[in-house]
């Protein structure tokens, strides 16, 4: 390519240079070969550059015509060289894409346990999945609502009187008053979603309400923000027998203990009548569930209070129902043998790796949760 071209006429050497350069560009299969052609043609010591430098030795009467021909050839070769560069870059990109193609529908490759790439489901998220799977099999739907609630949805509609301790500032997070003069509240339970469900949905109703709740409390077993799940059933002729059967089946399925002892104790909640605390059998000394002669309180429940039904526009002479609620962190701690609530929110990678759940193994009632 760098050998001098001998010609007998003014145009032969230019035409030969054009043909040879185009042939060399066509033969270049990668950018390195392309660059060699570019330098041999347009570089400081390139063939076309040498012709332009030799223009001074051309007779004066031919110089103008020769210069115009050289400039035309230069423009044409520059365009051809640039076009070939674009073609080679596109071909290189296509080859790279073929070589690096990844099938995103394939499952991820297994990694060694505990490695940085080894992800997992947070215990709270997995517990919500298990709750949803169990109650979903019973015909419950998941209901959701806002974290910031009105005083009426959070307290008034639930038959909680003005003097109830839950309404005090030291127990509840209040926000600045709204246009009506009432202070909105960070919901202290997910019960307001039960109210919203009864106001917007015609019975029969079967709903569970998992979500965040907020209370001014913080220690080894309490957090200012924690998760609850509440359940609501509204239908005709609902009885305590339905409530007991539902909760016994749930607790035995969740903890995986077929004969888990379950006890119902009379209690008091403003929004249910009658109300009951639910206990499960455990061994106080060893902490083992289903063993020993001790009892551990785990959730609250009861028949929906007639005033709550009436507040939602339901005739308590026609419709009856039951409700229940429990802390998601609490039942997760019992199932996993945890003793402290605070690590749930501390983002300790070691703790998360220990208690994480496999993201590729969703809860299944057939296999046990």
């Amino acid at each position: 390519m760098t050998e001098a071209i001998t010609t007998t006429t003014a145009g032969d050497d230019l035409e030969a240079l054009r043909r040879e350069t185009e042939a060399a560009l066509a033969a270049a299969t990668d950018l390195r070969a392309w660059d060699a052609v570019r330098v041999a043609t347009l570089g400081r010591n390139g063939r076309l550059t040498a012709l332009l430098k030799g223009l001074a030795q051309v007779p004066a009467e031919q110089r103008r015509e020769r210069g115009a021909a050289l400039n035309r050839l230069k423009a044409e070769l520059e365009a051809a060289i640039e076009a070939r560069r674009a073609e080679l870059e596109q071909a290189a990109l296509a080859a790279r894409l073929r070589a690096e193609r990844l099938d995103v529908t394939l499952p991820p490759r297994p990694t060694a346990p505990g490695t940085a790439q080894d992800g997992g489901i947070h215990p709270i998220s997995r517990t919500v999945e298990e709750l949803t799977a169990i109650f979903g099999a019973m015909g419950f739907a998941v209901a959701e609502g806002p974290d910031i609630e009105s005083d009426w949805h959070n307290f008034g509609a639930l038959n909680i009187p003005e003097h109830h301790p839950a309404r005090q500032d030291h127990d509840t997070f209040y926000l600045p008053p709204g246009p009506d003069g009432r202070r909105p509240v960070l919901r202290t339970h997910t019960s307001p979603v039960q109210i919203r469900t009864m106001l917007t949905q015609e019975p029969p109703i079967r709903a569970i309400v998992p979500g965040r709740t907020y209370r001014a409390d913080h220690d080894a077993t309490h957090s200012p923000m924690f998760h609850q799940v509440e359940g609501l059933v509204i239908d005709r002729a609902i009885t305590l027998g339905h409530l007991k059967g539902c909760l016994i089946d749930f607790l035995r399925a969740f903890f995986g203990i077929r004969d888990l002892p379950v006890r119902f104790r009379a209690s008091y909640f403003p929004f249910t009548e009658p109300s009951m605390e639910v206990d499960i059998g455990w061994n106080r000394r060893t902490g083992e569930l289903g063993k020993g002669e001790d009892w551990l309180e785990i959730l609250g429940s009861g028949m929906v209070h007639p005033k709550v039904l009436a507040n939602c526009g339901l005739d308590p002479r026609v419709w009856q129902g039951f409700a229940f609620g429990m802390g998601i962190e609490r039942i997760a701690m019992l199932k996993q043998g945890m003793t402290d609530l605070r690590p749930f929110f501390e983002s300790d990678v070691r703790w998360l790796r220990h208690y994480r759940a496999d993201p590729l193994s969703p809860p299944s009632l057939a296999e046990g949760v």
Side-chain angles (χ1 to χ4, degrees):
M1 295 293 296
T2 58
E3 185 179 342
I5 300 175
T6 58
T7 60
T8 57
T9 65
D12 288 347
D13 58 341
L14 302 187
E15 185 60 31
L17 177 59
R18 183 203 312 275
R19 291 195 304 268
E20 292 175 11
T21 302
E22 290 175 349
L25 286 173
T29 58
D30 55 38
L31 290 173
R32 179 174 296 181
W34 167 86
D35 192 58
V37 176
R38 180 188 65 82
V39 171
T41 305
L42 301 176
R44 179 178 299 178
N45 299 315
R47 296 171 63 183
L48 181 60
T49 305
L51 292 175
L52 289 169
K53 289 179 179 178
L55 191 59
Q57 281 72 45
V58 176
E61 63 273 13
Q62 299 176 6
R63 192 176 300 160
R64 182 174 181 179
E65 181 181 354
R66 177 73 170 179
L70 283 171
N71 286 331
R72 286 195 300 271
L73 178 61
K74 181 180 179 182
E76 292 172 2
L77 291 182
E78 285 178 343
I81 289 172
E82 182 61 24
R84 183 57 176 164
R85 181 193 65 80
E87 292 176 2
L88 291 172
E89 286 183 347
Q90 184 63 32
L93 177 60
R96 182 179 176 185
L97 291 175
R98 286 194 299 270
E100 298 178 0
R101 182 173 58 185
L102 177 67
D103 187 351
V104 296
T105 65
L106 291 174
R109 295 182 178 92
T111 57
T115 62
Q117 297 83 13
D118 190 27
I121 304 298
H122 192 280
I124 292 178
S125 299
R126 174 43 58 94
T127 303
V128 172
E129 290 178 351
E130 295 175 359
L131 294 167
T132 303
I134 296 172
F135 284 114
M138 299 182 191
F140 284 75
V142 175
E144 297 179 333
D147 287 14
I148 299 176
E149 277 289 4
S150 68
D151 181 272
W152 186 82
H153 284 97
N154 196 78
F155 294 123
L158 291 161
N159 197 39
I160 299 177
E162 292 285 346
H163 61 271
H164 195 279
R167 287 178 176 260
Q168 303 303 311
D169 287 349
H170 61 78
D171 283 334
T172 298
F173 295 106
Y174 283 96
L175 280 68
D180 59 355
R182 306 288 297 217
R183 294 186 297 171
V185 59
L186 293 180
R187 65 184 185 188
T188 58
H189 44 194
T190 57
S191 300
V193 184
Q194 296 187 30
I195 299 299
R196 293 178 178 276
T197 301
M198 287 188 282
L199 288 170
T200 58
Q201 182 176 326
E202 292 291 331
I205 296 171
R206 289 190 187 187
I208 58 168
V209 189
R212 296 182 182 90
T213 55
Y214 309 85
R215 296 180 189 175
D217 205 354
H218 191 210
D219 56 38
T221 57
H222 298 84
S223 170
M225 188 283 295
F226 59 100
H227 297 77
Q228 270 193 345
V229 61
E230 297 191 8
L232 174 70
V233 172
I234 302 292
D235 208 334
R236 301 175 190 271
I238 293 293
T239 69
L240 278 176
H242 298 108
L243 167 62
K244 294 177 68 175
C246 175
L247 293 181
I248 290 173
D249 285 350
F250 161 73
L251 291 170
R252 289 176 176 173
F254 180 79
F255 290 110
I257 303 174
R258 186 180 299 273
D259 57 349
L260 177 69
V262 180
R263 181 178 72 174
F264 293 80
R265 289 183 292 108
S267 186
Y268 168 75
F269 303 109
F271 32 80
T272 53
E273 179 61 36
S275 304
M276 294 179 295
E277 301 277 4
V278 182
D279 306 329
I280 57 175
W282 77 310
N283 188 312
R284 185 186 302 272
R285 190 160 49 87
T286 65
E288 188 176 5
L289 298 177
K291 306 291 184 180
E293 298 180 354
D294 303 308
W295 294 97
L296 179 66
E297 182 272 324
I298 193 170
L299 63 91
S301 65
M303 303 299 292
V304 179
H305 199 290
K307 289 186 177 180
V308 175
L309 293 171
N311 288 338
C312 297
L314 300 178
D315 188 345
R317 295 169 298 181
V318 178
W319 302 104
Q320 295 81 44
F322 65 79
F324 55 86
M326 68 195 86
I328 293 177
E329 287 87 349
R330 176 169 171 75
I331 61 175
M333 290 170 66
L334 289 173
K335 185 170 184 175
Q336 300 290 342
M338 305 173 187
T339 58
D340 195 329
L341 173 69
R342 290 168 291 193
F344 277 97
F345 311 107
E346 291 177 348
S347 300
D348 187 324
V349 175
R350 297 165 300 175
W351 185 90
L352 292 170
R353 286 174 180 165
H354 180 75
Y355 289 109
R356 68 179 180 84
D358 186 351
L360 299 180
S361 297
S364 170
L365 292 181
E367 300 174 0
V369 296

